[in-house]
Amino acid sequence: MMRIYEMRQKEIINIKDGTRFGFVADLEIDTKEGKIKKIIVPGPARVFGVFGRDTEYAIPWGDIKQVGDDIILVDVDPDDCVEEL
């Protein structure tokens, strides 16, 4: 078992190309089924990182391949999981 706090401490890395997405910021949960649908990772910062972000990565739970002590390995196309805020 794992707590949400512990999940937020893990870095997301794409096994397709080695891209480091960052750290888990939020989860999308289906409350009717009681299942996690997606993990949410903040997208790249705008203008030197001072003015916030306008995108985020919403990575489907099914694309998670391995959860380790420090990282979560995913197999996704980064363009397919980008969502505008």
Side-chain angles (χ1 to χ4, degrees):
M1 276 218 224
M2 181 185 319
R3 294 177 180 248
I4 292 174
Y5 171 78
E6 294 169 321
M7 184 167 266
R8 293 185 63 158
Q9 305 299 311
K10 298 178 187 296
E11 186 173 17
I12 309 299
I13 298 177
N14 192 359
I15 61 175
K16 263 188 188 182
D17 58 5
T19 302
R20 293 174 172 246
F21 285 107
F23 292 85
V24 176
D26 206 352
L27 301 173
E28 185 177 301
I29 300 172
D30 182 338
T31 55
K32 291 181 183 176
E33 293 184 27
K35 294 181 179 179
I36 298 172
K37 293 301 212 177
K38 297 178 181 179
I39 55 175
I40 309 298
V41 180
R46 296 182 288 173
V47 189
F48 305 114
V50 237
F51 295 111
R53 303 173 191 277
D54 56 357
T55 60
E56 64 186 11
Y57 298 106
I59 301 167
W61 187 257
D63 290 336
I64 295 174
K65 299 303 176 194
Q66 183 74 41
V67 177
D69 292 336
D70 298 326
I71 62 171
I72 298 174
L73 297 176
V74 298
D75 187 9
V76 296
D77 182 356
D79 296 332
D80 291 342
C81 60
V82 172
E83 292 185 355
E84 299 292 324
L85 293 178

